[in-house]
Amino acid sequence: MATEVINIRPLLDTQRRGNGMVAIGFKKSAVQEIKTEYGTLFQLVGKQSGLAGAINPFNIRFTYDVAASTEVSIPKVTPAKAKDGLQPALMEAEFASEQDLLNHLTFIEGRLTAAEKARKYDLKEDLAVSGQSERATYHVVRFHVGDETWDTVSATAGSNRTRHRHDLFGIQAAVGLLGLNQSALGGPSGKRWRHPADWRDRYTALLNRHAEDGDVLDAPGPVPEAVREAQQWARLAAAARQVAVTDVAIVIGFVPDTSVRPDFDAALASTNLRTHLRGPLEFTDNNQSMAAGRKLADYAYNDDAITELQHAVLTGTSPAADLHADPLEAVAKLVRLVDEVVYPSDRKALRRTTKVLVEPSPSLLREKHAKARGEIRSALLTAAVGGVDLPAAAMDNPHRTAVPKGITTTGLSVDQLIDAATEAAPTAARAAARSELGHLAVPGLVNGKVFLGPYGSTGDRRLTSTKLAAAADTGDGVLLFVEAIEAFARVMQLRAGRAVSAQEVPEGRLRRVDNLGFAATGEPADSEWFTSHWPVSSGSDNSNDDAGTPSLSSPSEQWAEHVKKTQSLVDKAMLGVTNVAEHFKAMGPLVGPDREMTSGERQGWQEQLDAMEDLVEEAGRSLRKLRNPTVNTEATGGNTENFSYGTGESS
């Protein structure tokens, strides 16, 4: 874990100093305690290197896909067992061979790709532009493959983010599980550094060296091989900046509930509440939904159902932050105002809304009418906050059968809702407060890229309401709701042109390995300190293994290697053919007595030139076949009965 976390030293509780320093544990302030119905998890919270982490090949949503597949063998995955009988925070996975592991990894990569294609946004591009603002969670997996054993840190939540983050750094998903192929740094192919300490600093040093090579990137025309390699590293350094530092939580401890069967895997799954979406910015202030929303607002204002200020907010002429002096209350006022106009619950307002939208009677409402209402609600919220991205598909809009009843409210302030939602004893009042708190949090969840809707990073199709209800069952979910409301309140204040306190989010930049200071946190990025105090045991050959471990390459790595070589090979071929053409052209003026080729010689050279043309045509035919085949985008479905959520209170 040392190479996963940047500057781990401040997280450690130590005794003595210098060479005599001894770590006695982690500081309490750095560890979160998460209670689930299967036991208590302990998470170390810190800053992660963008190169760190691995995708989770044992994600619960893919379990059934793997079991149903004839392409891969099912690995043996079990919780680890300590000699004292306790269950450590560790999963063990056993594969008969590395080829079996590669087949399994390739299958999971395909499922992640299918999930990516099932949603309408580009996560990789989003990470490159805005960085990774949401924290991923990881846990340790010990792989037993043939005669080899090694540990990795795999994503409990965040496999797609890890995969795309690595892609921006120029490494493949397989690296997180298998280690880095030495060919990536100019070494021999087929050998890997298994231990991250052996390659991450080397890789980062190259990125840092070329991070400012703007002049190299702008080099015109054909360039030498050395310059082309420098260009490659400079491009990777530029792409990696936004995701070089991310927030992370790593599960470091597990205390099972003695009343149930110890199940570390189930406890991990119960914490995976958050899937992520960056919705497409489709809002325009003159679209059909906004036109219908303005019409609803106009009629409500004419009926004295809303005030002049509320009307101005809904039509986008006054900032939503004006609804209340307290930023959190302004969020509640806005959400309730839009609900009152689009999903009214009193009889007079119901008749008005139905008439304005030219809807049939409540008993004849169809799915298209409910969808239109949801789009109107998203348009009004979006306009009120100033074009903030709130796509209708991400919202918790009522089902068709609930539309005629409207959306009711407790009338409590946000502070009162939070107090009621955090009561220790489960009561009807607490459940109602949590439900409404979740509803008020949805705009912040969507705008903050933390999405509980029916798309998700692994193609999960559970309804938004299902996920919100599951989150509301946990203390961690309630904290998430509060964070989302606070985040959206900040957005509203910013859009209103008001000063807000600076967020404590580090600016994305490359991790420094020279220990001259890490600008994002003011502290050095020091993994060598940790590994020098806790070196790998002398019986292990994983650390500082310059010779490397013989290893196969995954199809993704093989593809990346071929793509990387393509331009160089084409350039060399073009240069060679150009030289041949210039060569024969230069021979033309020299023809004369005793300076000519026989017909046999000319025919021989012509046949070789024809062979070149045949090879180029063959390459062209192969190139035309390099299309991405249709990907199965059928996604995992289910409800709260299929996927467990924590029901305990987090402290």
Side-chain angles (χ1 to χ4, degrees):
M1 192 187 64
T3 55
E4 299 286 315
V5 178
I6 290 176
N7 195 27
I8 200 170
R9 192 178 338 196
L11 307 180
L12 291 169
D13 195 3
T14 59
Q15 290 180 340
R16 297 191 296 276
R17 294 183 177 276
N19 293 331
M21 183 181 292
V22 176
I24 58 175
F26 289 104
K27 293 179 180 177
K28 290 184 178 180
S29 59
V31 178
Q32 285 185 345
E33 183 179 338
I34 307 296
K35 293 183 179 179
T36 77
E37 68 268 45
Y38 299 99
T40 303
L41 295 168
F42 296 88
Q43 295 181 161
L44 179 69
V45 178
K47 300 292 182 183
Q48 179 187 33
S49 163
L51 285 168
I55 67 172
N56 182 8
F58 313 113
N59 191 302
I60 187 172
R61 296 187 182 95
F62 298 146
T63 301
Y64 302 108
D65 300 328
V66 172
S69 173
T70 58
E71 303 173 29
V72 293
S73 58
I74 301 176
K76 181 181 179 182
V77 183
T78 59
K81 292 183 179 179
K83 293 181 179 179
D84 57 8
L86 297 177
Q87 188 174 130
L90 178 71
M91 295 300 301
E92 295 199 271
E94 185 176 338
F95 289 86
S97 66
E98 190 176 36
Q99 187 60 57
D100 283 350
L101 172 57
L102 281 175
N103 292 343
H104 188 268
L105 171 62
T106 303
F107 180 82
I108 296 302
E109 284 183 338
R111 295 300 297 129
L112 288 171
T113 300
E116 289 276 294
K117 292 183 176 296
R119 56 188 177 185
K120 298 181 178 359
Y121 72 102
D122 190 333
L123 176 59
K124 179 182 174 183
E125 182 65 22
D126 190 45
L127 292 174
V129 171
S130 57
Q132 183 175 312
S133 58
E134 62 276 16
R135 186 178 70 202
T137 305
Y138 295 86
H139 63 278
V140 179
V141 178
R142 177 162 294 160
F143 283 93
H144 300 272
V145 181
D147 296 330
E148 280 194 273
T149 300
W150 70 90
D151 295 345
T152 69
V153 178
S154 297
T156 313
S159 285
N160 267 331
R161 280 170 286 157
T162 301
R163 183 183 180 208
H164 288 306
R165 200 175 66 223
H166 286 180
D167 196 20
L168 291 171
F169 272 93
I171 61 178
Q172 300 297 310
V175 172
L177 298 178
L178 303 175
L180 183 72
N181 198 315
Q182 293 186 4
S183 62
L185 296 178
S189 181
K191 287 189 175 182
R192 294 181 188 272
W193 289 295
R194 285 273 198 245
H195 199 288
D198 292 329
W199 65 267
R200 281 192 183 140
D201 285 345
R202 304 184 195 193
Y203 199 93
T204 307
L206 277 174
L207 290 172
N208 287 331
R209 186 185 309 164
H210 296 290
E212 308 300 332
D213 286 351
D215 53 338
V216 174
L217 285 175
D218 297 330
V223 293
E225 189 72 27
V227 176
R228 184 181 296 110
E229 183 177 355
Q231 286 180 332
Q232 175 195 353
W233 285 103
R235 290 190 184 96
L236 291 176
R241 282 189 180 277
Q242 296 290 12
V243 292
V245 180
T246 64
D247 291 321
V248 67
I250 301 179
V251 179
I252 60 171
F254 175 57
V255 177
D257 187 336
T258 56
S259 64
V260 298
R261 180 176 65 86
D263 197 336
F264 177 58
D265 192 25
L268 289 174
S270 72
T271 67
N272 195 2
L273 289 171
R274 307 176 184 191
T275 51
H276 302 85
L277 171 72
R278 177 64 171 146
L281 188 59
E282 297 174 342
F283 173 78
T284 59
D285 61 3
N286 60 357
N287 63 21
Q288 186 174 356
S289 297
M290 191 60 214
R294 283 200 182 96
K295 196 173 180 181
L296 280 175
D298 290 342
Y299 274 74
Y301 179 58
N302 291 335
D303 285 352
D304 293 326
I306 60 175
T307 67
E308 184 176 354
L309 173 61
Q310 290 173 328
H311 178 266
V313 168
L314 290 177
T315 53
T317 56
S318 289
D322 288 346
L323 289 172
H324 201 282
D326 184 337
L328 298 186
E329 283 302 311
V331 174
K333 289 282 187 183
L334 174 62
V335 175
R336 288 168 176 171
L337 171 61
V338 174
D339 290 345
E340 179 185 342
V341 172
V342 184
Y343 297 105
S345 56
D346 67 277
R347 188 180 299 274
K348 181 180 178 181
L350 277 170
R351 285 199 301 266
R352 182 180 64 238
T353 302
T354 300
K355 181 179 179 180
V356 171
L357 298 180
V358 196
E359 290 178 344
S361 61
S363 62
L364 297 177
L365 282 177
R366 296 293 180 263
E367 187 62 37
K368 64 178 182 179
H369 302 112
K371 181 180 178 182
R373 290 253 198 134
E375 291 172 349
I376 292 169
R377 177 173 177 245
S378 290
L380 287 174
L381 283 168
T382 299
V385 190
V388 166
D389 180 13
L390 298 174
M395 307 297 287
D396 60 331
N397 299 315
H399 186 264
R400 171 182 58 82
T401 56
V403 169
K405 303 173 185 176
I407 296 178
T408 58
T409 176
T410 62
L412 298 176
S413 68
V414 175
D415 287 340
Q416 289 172 328
L417 282 174
I418 293 173
D419 290 341
T422 52
E423 287 287 341
T427 62
R430 189 184 80 166
R434 290 186 171 193
S435 178
E436 185 168 4
L437 202 64
H439 178 65
L440 297 179
V442 168
L445 293 171
V446 175
N447 182 248
K449 306 177 196 175
V450 180
F451 179 55
L452 298 173
Y455 294 105
S457 60
T458 52
D460 188 0
R461 290 298 189 272
R462 282 171 292 170
L463 297 175
T464 311
S465 56
T466 301
K467 289 191 173 184
L468 285 174
D473 280 341
T474 68
D476 185 56
V478 174
L479 293 178
L480 172 63
F481 294 160
V482 176
E483 291 172 6
I485 294 172
E486 290 175 345
F488 200 61
R490 176 186 172 83
V491 170
M492 287 171 54
Q493 298 297 313
L494 287 171
R495 291 304 175 101
R498 298 174 184 174
V500 294
S501 59
Q503 282 182 304
E504 295 183 1
V505 177
E507 178 186 351
R509 62 181 62 235
L510 288 173
R511 175 188 174 200
R512 285 293 170 192
V513 296
D514 53 13
N515 288 338
L516 295 179
F518 180 60
T521 61
E523 296 290 345
D526 184 358
S527 62
E528 292 83 357
W529 178 88
F530 188 96
T531 51
S532 65
H533 282 70
W534 288 274
V536 177
S537 62
S538 58
S540 171
D541 60 355
N542 283 339
S543 185
N544 300 319
D545 183 8
D546 289 327
T549 303
S551 178
L552 304 174
S553 294
S554 71
S556 293
E557 288 178 316
Q558 294 177 47
W559 168 265
E561 191 66 25
H562 279 78
V563 168
K564 187 168 64 176
K565 292 178 179 178
T566 301
Q567 187 60 53
S568 175
L569 290 173
V570 170
D571 287 348
K572 289 178 180 177
M574 182 64 74
L575 179 62
V577 172
T578 301
N579 288 339
V580 170
E582 293 293 335
H583 175 76
F584 284 117
K585 183 178 179 181
M587 292 178 72
L590 299 177
V591 172
D594 298 325
R595 297 194 301 274
E596 63 180 9
M597 288 186 180
T598 65
S599 59
E601 289 173 329
R602 284 188 289 109
Q603 183 61 32
W605 288 117
Q606 184 63 53
E607 289 176 357
Q608 293 198 45
L609 293 178
D610 290 343
M612 289 185 191
E613 186 176 353
D614 291 341
L615 289 172
V616 171
E617 288 184 358
E618 182 180 352
R621 287 192 296 270
S622 299
L623 178 63
R624 288 190 289 275
K625 295 177 182 179
L626 297 180
R627 295 178 179 178
N628 186 30
T630 302
V631 178
N632 176 19
T633 58
E634 181 181 353
T636 304
N639 53 35
T640 53
E641 299 301 320
N642 302 103
F643 300 94
S644 300
Y645 284 85
T647 57
E649 295 297 312
S650 60
S651 61

